[in-house]
Amino acid sequence: MQNCDLIKLIQRTEALEKEVEALEQEVDALKAEEPYICCTEDLNEDKLRTENEKLKYRLNILRRAVEKETAASVQAAKTAAAAPSQSEPAVGSQAVVGQPVEQV
């Protein structure tokens, strides 16, 4: 090899070594940032889980309220069907406002 080629090779090697060092520093910087990103994702995941639990709790409360209302309306319908309506006068009698109803 000639002396000129050797100098170019040394210069190229030194440039590549500097580039490798810069890349190593960049990798180290990225590794240092990674836990921060993971922590942020974990916090976001925890917030979402907490919100999900709250929503499940509220959903159960609403389900119980709907069941209670449904049971009450079914019971009212059964009671109304079993008892004769008081708004309708009995057969064979005439109701006058303010006067007692006489049975025949």
Side-chain angles (χ1 to χ4, degrees):
M1 257 190 180
Q2 295 179 345
N3 195 15
C4 185
D5 289 335
L6 187 58
I7 293 173
K8 287 181 180 178
L9 186 60
I10 291 173
Q11 289 175 346
R12 174 112 170 106
T13 304
E14 288 174 352
L16 289 173
E17 286 176 350
K18 286 181 182 179
E19 187 176 342
V20 167
E21 286 178 18
L23 289 172
E24 286 176 346
Q25 289 175 353
E26 187 177 345
V27 167
D28 289 339
L30 290 173
K31 284 182 180 178
E33 290 179 15
E34 186 176 330
Y36 176 73
I37 292 170
C38 289
C39 292
T40 304
E41 290 174 358
D42 288 342
L43 290 176
N44 192 27
E45 185 178 339
D46 288 341
K47 286 180 183 178
L48 291 173
R49 286 184 190 281
T50 302
E51 183 179 352
N52 192 30
E53 290 300 318
K54 288 178 182 178
L55 290 172
K56 284 180 181 179
Y57 178 75
R58 290 177 61 195
L59 182 62
N60 283 332
I61 290 172
L62 291 172
R63 281 184 181 153
R64 280 187 257 135
V66 167
E67 287 174 4
K68 185 177 179 181
E69 287 292 322
T70 304
S73 64
V74 168
Q75 183 64 30
K78 286 181 181 178
T79 304
S85 177
Q86 294 180 2
S87 63
E88 297 177 15
V91 177
S93 66
Q94 296 178 351
V96 178
V97 177
Q99 300 268 335
V101 176
E102 295 179 17
Q103 295 287 334
V104 178

